[in-house]
Amino acid sequence: MAPTTTDRKRKAVTRDTPEISDVESDAEFGDGLLEGILSQSEDSDDGSDQDSEEDEDEEDDELGEINALDSDGIPSDGPENEAEETNGGLNKSNGTTANPLRQLASPSTLEDDDKPNYTITTDANGGERYVYEEIDPVYDSDDSDAPATTNTIGNIPLTFYDSYPHIGYDINGKKIMRPAKGEALDALLDSIDVPRGWTGLTDPATGKPLNLSQDELEILRRIQTNELPEEGYDPYPATIEYFTGIEEIMPLSAAPEPKRRFLPSKHEAKRIMKIVRAIREGRILPYKPPQEQEEEEEAIHYDIWQDEQSRPDNIMNIPAPKMAPPGYDLSYNPPPEYLPTKAEKQAWESADPEDREKEYLPTGHDSLRKVPGYEMFIKERFERSLDLYLAPRVRKNRLNIDPASLLPKLPRPEELKPFPTVCSTVFRGHEGRVRSLAIDPLGIWLATGGDDGTVRVWELLTGRQIWSAKIGDDEAVNVVRWRPGKDALILSAAAGEDIYLLVPPVTDPETEVTSRDLLDAGFSYATNATQALTANGARKEPVAKWSRPGSRLEDEGVLIKITVRTTVKVISWHRRGDFFSTVSPTAQKSAVAIHTLSKHLTQIPFRRLPGIPQTVQFHPSRPLFFVATQRTIRSYDLQKQELVKIIQPGARWISSFDIHPGGDNLIVGSYDRRLLWHDLDLSTRPYKTMRFHSKAIRAVKYHKGGFPLFADASDDGSLQIFHGKVVSDMMENATIVPVKVLKGHKVKSALGVMDVDWHPREPWLVSAGADGTCRLWM
Amino acid sequence: MGKIKKKGVSGQAKNFITRTQAVRKLQISLPDFRKLCIWKGIYPREPRNKKKASKSSTASTTFYYTKDIQYLLHEPLLQKFREQKALEKKISKALGRGDAHDAQRLERNASRPEKTGKTKYTLDHVIRERYPTFIDALRDLDDCLSMLFLFANLPSTPTVPAKMIARCERLCLEFEHYLIVSNSLRKSFLSIKGIYYQATIQGQDILWLVPYKFNQRITGDVDFRIMGTFVEFYQTLLGFVNFRLYTSIGLVYPPKFDKSRDDQGAELGAFSLEGNGVGAIEQPKQITNGDSAKPDPKLQAEIDKLMSQLNEPEKEPPTSQTLGENEEDEEEQPTDTIDKFEPAAPGGDILLQPSYSATDPSTLFSNFTFFLSRETPRQPLEFILRAFGCKRIGWDAVLGEGAYTHNELDPAITHQVVDRPPIQVVNDDDMDEDNQTAQKLKAGTRVPGRIYIQPQWVWDSVNDEELKRPDLYAPGAQLPPHLSPFVKKVRGQYDPSAPLNEQEREDEELEADSDMDEEEDVSEEDNMAVQKPKLLIGDEVDATAEGMDVAGSEEDDSSANEDADSFGGFSDAEEEEDEATSTALQRQRELEAELTGVALEEKEIDPRAKAKADARKKAAKRAKEEDEELERAKMMMSRKKRKIMEKMVYSNKKKDAEAELLRVKRRKIEKSGKAAPRD
């Protein structure tokens, strides 16, 4: 709180104080004590109280002013003066000596009060110490509001003191002086100001003027006018019925109506007696027998299909199948062939009822009267009903076709002809197995090579041995192959690490000369080639050595011997007859070698191969070279020197393969008994897999002379001939039809047929067997 | 990329629900569910992929189509079931309280169909739903009739109330009446199980089975509640079907039912049919003397016999003449009917032709008066005879009410159905004389002038739509085999009615012979058979036929004589014996002749045997080649196709083997039968 403002206010209040005191409480006019209390309270009052008081003051000022104006015509300068006057007047009217004193003293008491209620002493440390006065904890000790009981005379009429100047004693035993009663002054005051509620009466209890409030006046007025003294009092309010005449649903008591309250109805008693009499006389039946009502009422029938509408068949609706109609064997007198024999009867009886094909046994009766009842009738009917509602139904499409129509349409064997069917010639002479054979390009001679180290040439049709040469001293002849081309007759054979080129002296001399010339032509190139090698300074061992085999063999017709590093197993000629390739599976790097006949040159095309090479082939028309490893066949472009395709037959160990003369198909034989047909345009996977052999397949061969045939040779001693027609139409697959199994070779030490070859023109087949024979099949 | 499909929310997983799920969804008990399924015709399905439908649960369950179950949800019967269930609960509660009176009152409300045969509900709407058209209902009538006819013949038990049986019987008889009136019965077959009937109504073939009149053996594993549920449905169905059928031919349904006659065993006769304004059906007229109106059946029979005898050399079927002159007239006229195409050479496909029967089923027996002996089954005979036009059927009084006559000696009787063995009457001429004078009808006696036949004659005549030769069916005669008329002839299957050599494979006989040769020592008779079995068979048939005819003619002659003289006792026994002895003699003679013949032919055997061996060799070679061919073709098939083919071949082979077995048996029987043929 800002001190300035309080000060100011205080000033104002102090100035207004007398005014307030007289205006506010008219009843206290005579009471001087009130002044001090008022001033005291003013001091302690806070601002808000003061504000309100100020407001009231102003009101009262105006009121006073109005009163003054009304009551007497004393001119006044302004409200303030007026107020001062009244103030002064009041003070005069109070007229007590003590009052001014008090008024004077009051500031001092105020000051006393302001005096601190403590003493300053020095404490033990010598510092200031405030010692506060004891507070007397009496009731009202701090009560400033409690009205001071002024008169202590008790409850006696004040008239007792009429003769005394005082009217009683205060609490301290001092006389309370009778307030001033100047008639003139009072009259003046009254003329000046009639306070509100002034009655002009004196309260007999206090002796003070009796003032009545507005409310009390109003009550008086109402009493006078014979109205009810209290406002808003309704002397005739509407009745509130706490207990009504309406009966509630839930009775207060659940006790049933006592029977003593029952009054029998005479009318009912009459009617009852009437019925009783009727029952006694039998005119009324007391109850209906229950059967009667159930008896009748037949089911009502009507035309339920009067407005029938067919419903379209739903696919999910499966009507129950009808029972099968009875057959002949169900007859009571069936044809005798339907009656079971004794054995059948026994079998039926001994079988478990569930295992029986029919649940009844056909029985014959020679007349109808002998037919017994059928024991299983109810059972069967019951099972049928179970089927009707319990058996899952499913739509099954029965194939009602002739199974023969499912068979593929194969050309008849007659249409597939010709193919070899019988063995016409057997070539005997080899000791031990015949490992390889070949028919010369003209189709006249058959060359064979076997375990005995000899190469033999036979006349194909007669089976006569024409020529023989022993080239491997202690090694078997692994392979013999003719050089393609009809101009010369050159045979190549491999025994051990040596490859021999022979010109068997079986043809006319001119051919023989050209053949020898062909072989010899390369010697000059060969020397150059070796020189070139030395010039390179490599000085390494040549991969193959081309040489003359020695005079003994030369006389027999063996003209060139090529020595490579390891055993040669396969020889394969290029179609022109200038190149041939050999495979020696055991050699790592130089396993595949390509030899050039005209240059006596041997090249190793592959530095490294992904597996052990098994066999090689030249493509019949394009510059492609096929190498078969154990699992895959790779084709290389010889010109571009790159890998073209990897064919994966899926066999474990490829034994041999052959390329169709058309060049787009090849067959692969494997040691795991599979024969696989590959369409090179189609896929790298086999088009057909045939597994008709029980043992490994050693050799496969296409017919190269125009017949759509191919054959395989197996260790189970059989040859299988297939018809494999390749059409030029790209959209049509090859048709492969097995046509013939040729059996004749004996299996020796788990080896059957070692090699096969086709005649270049005829549908003839030659096969080399492990039993030391060769056979011509035609 | 498409949205990833959630598993189990569409397709098969949604389309099928298990039975447990279905019951839960419907909130009913399993027996109620069963009832609903039976009535509504809802059956489990086999989902195409069981794993998907069962949401990969492996337990084996039955699956229902979800839409079927949804359809059941709206079933009014479901509400009835629930009400019934609530009522049952109330009753059991009342009983639990010991409030017997209340329980009784509630009990009166409960429907107890197993006791009363009456239900609170009707199945009419179910019938209408299941069979939207009348044809649909007819199509499904097989099981209905079989079941109701069975229940009509059951004894009443606590599970099968007598009322239910009575109702079944009534419905069945009403249905039979319709068949009789409309002549819709087509075929019938006496089997060891019972009697099969086939009727054709509005183009629908209905086949049902009626048990023989015996007490049915009831085994413990038969649940009559299930059967009862079916019966309940079938009764409603047949009621409506009957109504429709009756009204379609202008009759009032239900027909009047005479309870007192039924109690006396009148069966079919207990009903009287009335026309509903269109016109009443004709009742069998009582003829006192039919001779004037109709050709005398006895005389007719004689003429027929004579005719047949005359026609014998021309090998005409003699039975076709038995119907009378009017039919002969018809035969002469050019007809505009469809000609029957018979395959000239084997191997062609069989083309179906609309069956055109020359005889109207309503006239087959219309001219005859039948009398049923007391040992014959009256009900089926009466029904079948009536259904094929017979108006007058008499039977022994033992067999019940409703007969045209109970008097066996009624002169109007033309045919008597007998099923008892001929009793050998003491062969005494005096006795014969006595019999002629005295009143007869002792065992083994015959009334002259009527045809005595065994019951099978009726059935065979009906199935072949022509009257069979009665002599083949005479009492005591060895009956010809009774063949099922329902078997459709399929090429390659065995047909007992066709001669053996027509249906066997070309080389089958050869093979069979070779088997025989191997297993049997070569006897003279066998050699004979090997040489020309077909010829012999033919001869044999002819010979027996001749023999029979001869015997028949003798009988006819004698009976004609008797006719001319007077009615009197006449014993056939002697003649039959004569007949037997004569045939035996004949056989003896034949055997002797054969013996001598063999001696002559024995030398000629060698070249024939050689030819036969050649043929056999050739056949073997051909078979081998065919096998090779087949093997080659099979080699080129994919494995899947090969499997299918092997399955088909297997089933075909099984059928072939069955047929072959029958042929072998028949061949054997025919061969041995040559030595001892059946009479």
Side-chain angles (χ1 to χ4, degrees):
Chain A
M1 195 185 281
T4 51
T5 52
T6 49
D7 281 353
R8 224 189 295 154
K9 276 184 179 174
R10 205 173 272 171
K11 275 174 193 166
V13 166
T14 43
R15 201 179 53 192
D16 291 340
T17 303
E19 190 185 316
I20 289 165
S21 61
D22 75 345
V23 172
E24 259 195 351
S25 53
D26 299 319
E28 292 168 2
F29 273 4
D31 194 344
L33 282 176
L34 291 178
E35 302 288 339
I37 290 165
L38 245 181
S39 65
Q40 257 184 338
S41 71
E42 269 173 8
D43 274 351
S44 60
D45 265 348
D46 57 51
S48 66
D49 281 353
Q50 287 165 1
D51 287 344
S52 63
E53 280 168 17
E54 268 175 16
D55 292 344
E56 286 173 22
D57 288 350
E58 280 169 19
E59 244 179 317
D60 289 346
D61 283 352
E62 285 168 291
L63 224 164
E65 199 175 28
I66 292 159
N67 286 343
L69 286 173
D70 289 344
S71 59
D72 53 23
I74 296 169
S76 58
D77 299 334
E80 284 195 4
N81 296 338
E82 184 81 28
E84 278 176 357
E85 277 183 16
T86 49
N87 208 354
L90 245 180
N91 285 339
K92 283 170 199 167
S93 69
N94 278 346
T96 53
T97 51
N99 271 353
L101 277 176
R102 274 194 187 244
Q103 273 189 324
L104 286 172
S106 65
S108 72
T109 51
L110 277 175
E111 277 170 13
D112 282 350
D113 286 348
D114 288 343
K115 209 170 59 177
N117 57 347
Y118 53 81
T119 53
I120 300 164
T121 56
T122 51
D123 59 15
N125 299 328
E128 277 184 353
R129 184 178 171 203
Y130 294 91
V131 178
Y132 288 87
E133 287 173 2
E134 283 290 338
I135 294 168
D136 185 16
V138 293
Y139 187 70
D140 288 345
S141 61
D142 53 352
D143 189 1
S144 55
D145 293 333
T149 25
T150 52
N151 204 345
T152 58
I153 58 171
N155 196 12
I156 54 161
L158 209 58
T159 51
F160 289 5
Y161 287 92
D162 279 346
S163 53
Y164 302 103
H166 63 275
I167 54 165
Y169 303 91
D170 70 358
I171 197 145
N172 295 324
K174 299 268 177 62
K175 286 176 181 165
I176 299 170
M177 300 313 287
R178 186 179 304 272
K181 266 190 177 176
E183 266 76 9
L185 186 60
D186 282 353
L188 172 70
L189 283 176
D190 287 349
S191 68
I192 292 166
D193 181 19
V194 179
R196 201 186 303 167
W198 180 83
T199 57
L201 300 173
T202 307
D203 184 357
T206 59
K208 287 179 183 174
L210 179 66
N211 284 352
L212 292 179
S213 68
Q214 202 63 39
D215 288 345
E216 286 163 336
L217 286 175
E218 177 65 19
I219 290 169
L220 287 174
R221 186 194 63 82
R222 283 169 172 271
I223 291 169
Q224 278 175 347
T225 55
N226 235 353
E227 288 176 25
L228 286 167
E230 198 176 331
E231 194 184 10
Y233 175 75
D234 182 7
Y236 309 110
T239 35
I240 298 163
E241 295 185 320
Y242 295 102
F243 299 98
T244 68
I246 301 160
E247 198 175 342
E248 296 295 331
I249 294 166
M250 281 300 284
L252 291 174
S253 160
E257 186 88 346
K259 286 192 174 174
R260 63 178 173 272
R261 284 192 206 149
F262 176 70
L263 291 174
S265 155
K266 277 188 175 175
H267 173 70
E268 280 178 4
K270 252 189 204 166
R271 291 194 61 189
I272 288 170
M273 275 321 289
K274 213 173 170 184
I275 293 168
V276 166
R277 243 175 270 122
I279 290 173
R280 278 192 193 139
E281 287 165 15
R283 279 183 283 128
I284 296 177
L285 282 176
Y287 64 92
K288 267 187 195 163
Q291 273 88 357
E292 262 177 51
Q293 120 208 9
E294 283 166 19
E295 185 67 40
E296 63 0 84
E297 105 262 349
E298 191 47 38
I300 298 148
H301 291 295
Y302 51 92
D303 193 356
I304 205 167
W305 292 283
Q306 205 159 28
D307 49 347
E308 57 185 7
Q309 279 171 343
S310 67
R311 202 188 293 151
D313 200 17
N314 186 1
I315 184 116
M316 286 309 281
N317 179 32
I318 308 166
K322 292 196 168 188
M323 293 280 270
Y328 296 122
D329 54 351
L330 213 55
S331 169
Y332 89 103
N333 180 18
E337 54 267 29
Y338 282 97
L339 295 175
T341 61
K342 207 169 266 176
E344 281 168 348
K345 202 170 178 178
Q346 214 164 25
W348 187 87
E349 271 161 0
S350 62
D352 200 56
E354 278 152 25
D355 299 338
R356 289 170 185 167
E357 211 158 291
K358 286 181 202 160
E359 68 271 31
Y360 57 89
L361 197 62
T363 34
H365 304 279
D366 54 6
S367 71
L368 188 59
R369 72 172 184 279
K370 290 183 182 166
V371 183
Y374 185 57
E375 283 198 338
M376 306 295 291
F377 199 99
I378 292 183
K379 187 92 198 305
E380 273 179 19
R381 208 61 243 157
F382 176 61
E383 266 157 19
R384 168 70 178 172
S385 15
L386 286 190
D387 284 349
L388 280 178
Y389 91 96
L390 217 51
R393 293 187 200 164
V394 66
R395 227 181 261 278
K396 273 199 177 154
N397 291 332
R398 191 174 289 273
L399 279 180
N400 201 5
I401 52 169
D402 185 16
S405 65
L406 276 179
L407 288 171
K409 288 277 172 290
L410 289 180
R412 291 185 57 73
E414 288 75 43
E415 294 161 15
L416 300 176
K417 273 174 182 170
F419 53 82
T421 50
V422 289
C423 174
S424 71
T425 318
V426 181
F427 305 88
R428 293 178 207 276
H430 275 289
E431 292 160 20
R433 299 168 193 139
V434 184
R435 293 227 170 196
S436 178
L437 51 66
I439 299 178
D440 81 316
L442 293 171
I444 303 164
W445 317 106
L446 171 71
T448 60
D451 268 3
D452 54 0
T454 57
V455 175
R456 292 164 200 247
V457 174
W458 317 72
E459 204 172 33
L460 185 63
L461 287 174
T462 57
R464 193 165 58 90
Q465 181 181 327
I466 307 292
W467 177 85
S468 163
K470 188 168 177 66
I471 53 170
D473 292 330
D474 50 352
E475 284 159 327
V477 176
N478 276 325
V479 58
V480 288
R481 288 289 177 266
W482 294 97
R483 173 186 174 271
K486 293 171 183 173
D487 51 338
L489 192 71
I490 295 170
L491 182 65
S492 59
E497 294 115 34
D498 301 326
I499 305 156
Y500 297 92
L501 297 174
L502 327 110
V503 179
V506 290
T507 50
D508 50 315
E510 297 96 73
T511 324
E512 200 173 334
V513 168
T514 47
S515 309
R516 280 174 182 269
D517 287 348
L518 262 174
L519 290 180
D520 291 342
F523 275 111
S524 53
Y525 288 102
T527 48
N528 292 341
T530 47
Q531 276 170 355
L533 272 173
T534 46
N536 277 345
R539 281 170 194 254
K540 55 181 178 185
E541 185 87 357
V543 285
K545 208 169 82 191
W546 294 64
S547 60
R548 293 285 184 193
S551 57
R552 181 185 69 82
L553 286 173
E554 270 184 69
D555 291 343
E556 288 183 353
V558 183
L559 294 180
I560 292 178
K561 172 184 170 188
I562 309 161
T563 311
V564 293
R565 286 171 191 162
T566 47
T567 315
V568 173
K569 293 276 189 189
V570 174
I571 299 175
S572 172
W573 281 87
H574 187 256
R575 66 180 184 282
R576 289 214 198 94
D578 197 19
F579 303 101
F580 65 95
S581 174
T582 59
V583 178
S584 13
T586 48
Q588 269 101 36
K589 272 187 180 176
S590 56
V592 179
I594 295 180
H595 310 270
T596 314
L597 185 61
S598 56
K599 293 178 184 168
H600 286 197
L601 180 66
T602 301
Q603 291 162 298
I604 307 294
F606 303 108
R607 289 270 158 262
R608 203 166 49 81
L609 271 166
I612 305 163
Q614 297 296 312
T615 172
V616 293
Q617 286 268 332
F618 288 97
H619 191 274
S621 53
R622 281 151 55 203
L624 294 174
F625 186 59
F626 291 82
V627 180
T629 59
Q630 277 187 356
R631 297 280 179 99
T632 59
I633 299 171
R634 290 149 182 270
S635 81
Y636 297 91
D637 193 321
L638 288 175
Q639 281 174 343
K640 295 179 188 162
Q641 301 191 333
E642 61 182 18
L643 179 67
V644 176
K645 191 178 266 185
I646 301 175
I647 298 152
Q648 293 169 316
R652 295 279 168 78
W653 195 326
I654 294 166
S655 64
S656 61
F657 73 96
D658 198 13
I659 303 167
H660 191 267
D664 282 338
N665 296 279
L666 60 83
I667 44 170
V668 182
S670 77
Y671 289 115
D672 52 352
R673 305 184 302 239
R674 274 187 252 194
L675 178 63
L676 308 126
W677 178 291
H678 275 273
D679 193 329
L680 295 182
D681 296 332
L682 212 63
S683 155
T684 59
R685 295 268 164 201
Y687 161 59
K688 286 276 185 224
T689 305
M690 292 152 271
R691 308 187 63 157
F692 301 131
H693 279 295
S694 57
K695 291 276 174 60
I697 293 172
R698 290 259 159 202
V700 291
K701 210 68 128 204
Y702 275 114
H703 193 281
K704 302 280 193 332
F707 289 107
L709 294 170
F710 62 96
D712 63 351
S714 163
D715 275 350
D716 59 7
S718 68
L719 296 145
Q720 287 181 347
I721 318 294
F722 294 86
H723 177 93
K725 183 144 193 164
V726 177
V727 270
S728 51
D729 185 7
M730 290 285 283
M731 299 320 293
E732 205 172 328
N733 286 325
T735 51
I736 305 165
V737 184
V739 284
K740 195 71 191 168
V741 178
L742 300 174
K743 285 178 185 161
H745 285 288
K746 288 185 187 70
V747 179
K748 261 199 173 169
S749 57
L751 291 176
V753 187
M754 306 292 288
D755 200 3
V756 284
D757 199 9
W758 288 96
H759 191 275
R761 288 183 312 275
E762 304 291 333
W764 298 342
L765 186 74
V766 284
S767 59
D771 54 354
T773 62
C774 299
R775 281 164 193 267
L776 170 66
W777 309 86
M778 55 200 300
Chain B
M1 191 181 148
K3 209 176 161 192
I4 292 173
K5 241 184 153 185
K6 220 175 152 194
K7 228 177 170 184
V9 291
S10 66
Q12 301 220 48
K14 206 80 180 146
N15 275 349
F16 295 99
I17 59 173
T18 63
R19 192 183 62 176
T20 319
Q21 286 170 331
V23 167
R24 265 202 207 140
K25 188 170 188 183
L26 296 173
Q27 300 183 13
I28 46 173
S29 64
L30 196 57
D32 282 350
F33 177 69
R34 185 179 61 201
K35 267 189 180 179
L36 262 191
C37 284
I38 289 172
W39 287 338
K40 300 285 282 181
I42 283 162
Y43 44 89
R45 315 292 182 114
E46 192 77 25
R48 206 176 298 144
N49 189 342
K50 226 168 184 182
K51 212 170 156 196
K52 272 184 191 160
S54 64
K55 293 158 194 84
S56 53
S57 135
T58 48
S60 71
T61 41
T62 49
F63 292 97
Y64 285 87
Y65 190 44
T66 310
K67 282 194 176 160
D68 281 349
I69 303 301
Q70 276 173 348
Y71 165 66
L72 279 187
L73 273 174
H74 310 293
E75 178 55 48
L77 285 172
L78 205 58
Q79 196 51 42
K80 298 275 185 196
F81 284 156
R82 291 192 182 130
E83 278 168 12
Q84 174 72 12
K85 194 175 154 194
L87 187 65
E88 297 289 350
K89 232 182 231 169
K90 277 182 196 164
I91 293 172
S92 69
K93 248 184 212 167
L95 288 175
R97 278 200 306 266
D99 196 347
H101 179 75
D102 212 21
Q104 199 184 9
R105 181 179 58 79
L106 291 166
E107 177 78 25
R108 234 174 287 143
N109 290 338
S111 71
R112 294 267 179 265
E114 65 271 14
K115 273 185 204 150
T116 61
K118 281 238 126 227
T119 52
K120 283 265 164 195
Y121 44 80
T122 57
L123 299 176
D124 303 3
H125 66 285
V126 179
I127 304 274
R128 185 64 217 259
E129 273 168 20
R130 272 185 77 171
Y131 307 110
T133 61
F134 184 54
I135 296 290
D136 292 334
L138 288 179
R139 210 174 284 150
D140 220 13
L141 217 54
D142 284 21
D143 287 312
C144 168
L145 288 172
S146 297
M147 183 71 101
L148 294 185
F149 270 99
L150 166 64
F151 267 70
N153 286 324
L154 278 186
S156 85
T157 55
T159 45
V160 188
K163 273 203 174 151
M164 186 190 263
I165 293 169
R167 235 181 127 228
C168 287
E169 201 172 357
R170 273 192 70 172
L171 286 168
C172 290
L173 289 174
E174 284 164 5
F175 184 70
E176 284 187 348
H177 261 300
Y178 167 77
L179 296 179
I180 290 168
V181 172
S182 65
N183 290 312
S184 336
L185 191 68
R186 288 290 169 273
K187 284 163 182 170
S188 182
F189 174 57
L190 295 164
S191 82
I192 49 173
K193 291 185 179 177
I195 304 172
Y196 284 90
Y197 295 99
Q198 190 182 48
T200 306
I201 303 172
Q202 300 190 6
Q204 295 294 323
D205 282 343
I206 303 164
L207 176 72
W208 72 98
L209 172 62
V210 180
Y212 289 119
K213 282 264 177 197
F214 284 107
N215 244 351
Q216 296 296 331
R217 198 181 85 159
I218 296 167
T219 47
D221 49 355
V222 173
D223 188 350
F224 273 98
R225 282 175 304 171
I226 294 173
M227 306 260 277
T229 312
F230 271 101
V231 167
E232 212 172 297
F233 175 74
Y234 286 150
Q235 280 178 342
T236 317
L237 172 63
L238 191 59
F240 283 113
V241 168
N242 278 350
F243 182 89
R244 171 96 177 190
L245 291 175
Y246 269 63
T247 41
S248 71
I249 54 169
L251 291 177
V252 171
Y253 185 84
K256 268 196 188 133
F257 177 65
D258 188 349
K259 186 105 177 54
S260 60
R261 291 196 78 192
D262 186 55
D263 289 343
Q264 289 169 337
E267 307 226 331
L268 279 174
F271 292 86
S272 49
L273 309 182
E274 294 169 9
N276 54 1
V278 180
I281 57 152
E282 52 190 85
Q283 293 293 320
K285 281 172 265 168
Q286 290 281 338
I287 44 162
T288 46
N289 195 356
D291 295 25
S292 56
K294 294 189 178 71
D296 186 0
K298 289 169 278 179
L299 201 69
Q300 187 60 48
E302 271 175 59
I303 293 165
D304 291 345
K305 294 265 162 64
L306 267 171
M307 290 289 289
S308 66
Q309 225 179 336
L310 287 171
N311 289 338
E312 192 61 32
E314 293 151 37
K315 304 237 169 183
E316 282 236 347
T319 46
S320 63
Q321 255 86 40
T322 45
L323 266 184
E325 308 106 323
N326 48 354
E327 198 152 296
E328 280 179 354
D329 296 342
E330 275 173 28
E331 274 177 3
E332 286 161 16
Q333 292 160 1
T335 57
D336 55 351
T337 58
I338 300 169
D339 291 328
K340 190 149 174 73
F341 283 72
E342 296 282 358
D349 283 329
I350 295 167
L351 297 178
L352 286 177
Q353 274 184 301
S355 64
Y356 181 85
S357 54
T359 55
D360 183 12
S362 63
T363 61
L364 189 65
F365 298 131
S366 57
N367 297 333
F368 306 140
T369 307
F370 279 86
F371 188 84
L372 312 180
S373 296
R374 67 168 183 271
E375 70 278 3
T376 52
R378 181 204 124 191
Q379 289 87 1
L381 273 172
E382 184 191 0
F383 168 52
I384 201 167
L385 288 174
R386 278 189 196 282
F388 282 87
C390 183
K391 298 275 186 281
R392 298 170 300 277
I393 307 165
W395 54 75
D396 200 285
V398 185
L399 293 177
E401 183 66 18
Y404 164 69
T405 174
H406 289 308
N407 182 10
E408 197 179 343
L409 292 174
D410 194 310
I413 294 168
T414 58
H415 289 71
Q416 181 160 359
V417 184
V418 185
D419 193 9
R420 66 184 103 168
I423 292 170
Q424 294 290 336
V425 179
V426 182
N427 256 350
D428 220 346
D429 287 344
D430 310 337
M431 281 290 283
D432 275 347
E433 292 303 319
D434 283 349
N435 279 345
Q436 276 178 2
T437 50
Q439 193 52 270
K440 44 209 164 306
L441 268 180
K442 290 202 173 169
T445 53
R446 297 269 173 94
V447 180
R450 66 174 72 161
I451 299 166
Y452 284 83
I453 38 169
Q454 292 201 37
Q456 193 188 324
W457 178 84
V458 177
W459 268 271
D460 283 354
S461 303
V462 161
N463 290 339
D464 292 350
E465 292 172 358
E466 62 181 15
L467 297 176
K468 303 298 263 185
R469 272 167 43 188
D471 51 345
L472 293 177
Y473 298 89
Q478 176 87 38
L479 292 167
H482 182 54
L483 297 179
S484 166
F486 306 113
V487 178
K488 293 212 174 62
K489 294 191 170 68
V490 180
R491 197 155 59 85
Q493 289 302 299
Y494 176 68
D495 176 13
S497 55
L500 191 56
N501 48 21
E502 265 180 26
Q503 41 185 332
E504 61 194 3
R505 285 183 281 116
E506 295 152 37
D507 45 348
E508 194 176 303
E509 201 179 358
L510 274 174
E511 284 167 31
D513 289 344
S514 68
D515 291 347
M516 297 267 186
D517 287 350
E518 280 156 28
E519 68 191 21
E520 294 172 18
D521 52 338
V522 184
S523 71
E524 291 150 302
E525 279 213 10
D526 274 340
N527 273 335
M528 272 288 292
V530 166
Q531 284 155 26
K532 40 170 198 171
K534 296 168 197 174
L535 200 72
L536 271 182
I537 292 161
D539 286 349
E540 167 116 346
V541 169
D542 287 349
T544 48
E546 242 171 48
M548 291 304 281
D549 273 341
V550 166
S553 64
E554 280 171 15
E555 189 186 358
D556 284 345
D557 288 341
S558 56
S559 66
N561 292 335
E562 286 293 328
D563 257 354
D565 296 340
S566 68
F567 287 110
F570 184 82
S571 121
D572 275 331
E574 197 183 10
E575 267 200 3
E576 274 183 3
E577 221 171 50
D578 284 350
E579 186 189 323
T581 49
S582 70
T583 48
L585 269 173
Q586 199 181 350
R587 181 129 333 275
Q588 187 64 30
R589 253 178 272 126
E590 266 178 28
L591 281 173
E592 278 168 12
E594 273 169 19
L595 276 171
T596 52
V598 164
L600 286 171
E601 282 171 359
E602 226 167 11
K603 283 154 196 165
E604 295 167 17
I605 282 169
D606 278 346
R608 285 191 189 183
K610 200 184 167 195
K612 202 176 65 188
D614 283 351
R616 209 176 293 156
K617 220 183 261 173
K618 213 185 267 174
K621 199 182 163 199
R622 210 186 318 133
K624 201 180 155 199
E625 270 172 8
E626 270 167 15
D627 278 356
E628 247 176 45
E629 175 83 357
L630 188 73
E631 273 306 303
R632 272 191 330 109
K634 264 195 198 170
M635 258 154 80
M636 297 317 294
M637 288 171 98
S638 69
R639 186 185 311 206
K640 198 176 164 192
K641 270 193 171 177
R642 192 159 53 216
K643 284 257 167 70
I644 292 175
M645 203 198 75
E646 270 161 12
K647 238 186 244 171
M648 290 162 80
V649 166
Y650 171 79
S651 57
N652 282 6
K653 257 194 186 147
K654 210 170 152 193
K655 274 181 209 156
D656 288 346
E658 257 168 42
E660 171 131 21
L661 185 72
L662 290 170
R663 284 199 290 268
V664 167
K665 271 189 183 174
R666 173 146 170 208
R667 202 173 296 118
K668 236 183 220 170
I669 288 163
E670 277 177 3
K671 257 170 214 169
S672 59
K674 197 178 69 68
R678 311 187 297 181
D679 262 1

